[in-house]
Amino acid sequence: MSVLNIVLIEPQIPQNTGNIARTCAATGARLHLVGPLGFEITDAKLKRAGLDYWRLLDITTYESTPEFFSRNPRGEFYYFTTKARRTYTDIAYPDDAYLVFGREDAGLPEELLRANPDRCVRLPMIAGARSLNLSNTVAVAAYETLRQWGFPALQNHGKLTKYDWDAVPL
């Protein structure tokens, strides 16, 4: 089964990471937190943003970027950055893809981007906009990848609480 990996390198804002954790929990994506972090995992703001989804989360932490790459040597990495020349929809994401995101205030290191130009992607924005919120960017990227994969293992229909959908004409 395909597994989506969301990688946050040095995240600084606990609320963003909490929101991303909730997205990962709801989609079955694995969350990789690469330090140093700008907060403690026990931070109340982080836990509040993730609500009661922590029990559904597959999370791994790393002390540093070199440790992350050494523990995941076979990954297919895609680097999300405002500096990329390609858009995120230009990519056909493979099974077990790693979507990598940088710090909210600085993004990913340019050395990493320069070494992987064909794996750098961006979300289009109007001129003059610096960037989208990190948690929004992760959600867009995750759902595009999952859409390409046909939303494996995700529930693709909802249920009304007071009515039966089958009784409602389309």
Side-chain angles (χ1 to χ4, degrees), residues 7-12 32-36 65 68-69 79 100-104 107-109 112:
V7 181
L8 304 182
I9 295 182
E10 299 182 16
Q12 299 298 298
H32 303 264
L33 295 180
V34 181
T65 302
F68 167 75
F69 284 112
Y79 304 97
V100 183
F101 303 85
R103 294 171 56 125
E104 292 93 337
L108 291 166
L112 183 63

Side-chain angles (χ1 to χ4, degrees), residues 7-12 31-41 59-72 103:
V7 181
L8 304 182
I9 295 182
E10 299 182 16
Q12 299 298 298
L31 179 59
H32 303 264
L33 295 180
V34 181
L37 308 179
F39 51 85
E40 296 293 325
I41 294 291
I59 184 170
T60 306
T61 59
Y62 308 85
E63 292 292 322
S64 66
T65 302
E67 179 191 356
F68 167 75
F69 284 112
S70 71
R71 289 176 53 191
N72 298 282
R103 294 171 56 125

Side-chain angles (χ1 to χ4, degrees), residues 1-4 23-30 56 58 146 154:
M1 184 169 117
S2 300
V3 175
L4 178 59
T23 296
C24 289
T27 61
R30 290 182 183 144
L56 301 173
D58 180 354
L146 294 168
L154 299 184

Side-chain angles (χ1 to χ4, degrees), residues 4-11 20 24 30-34 65 68-69 77-82 88 93 98-104 106-109 112-113 121-123 132-143 145:
L4 178 59
N5 295 279
I6 302 297
V7 181
L8 304 182
I9 295 182
E10 299 182 16
I20 293 164
C24 289
R30 290 182 183 144
L31 179 59
H32 303 264
L33 295 180
V34 181
T65 302
F68 167 75
F69 284 112
F77 303 104
Y78 297 90
Y79 304 97
F80 283 74
T81 173
T82 59
Y88 72 106
Y93 298 96
Y98 286 76
L99 309 185
V100 183
F101 303 85
R103 294 171 56 125
E104 292 93 337
L108 291 166
L112 183 63
L113 303 177
V121 295
R122 65 178 283 121
L123 272 64
L132 290 174
N133 176 277
L134 178 61
S135 64
N136 294 336
T137 303
V138 170
V140 168
Y143 271 94
T145 303

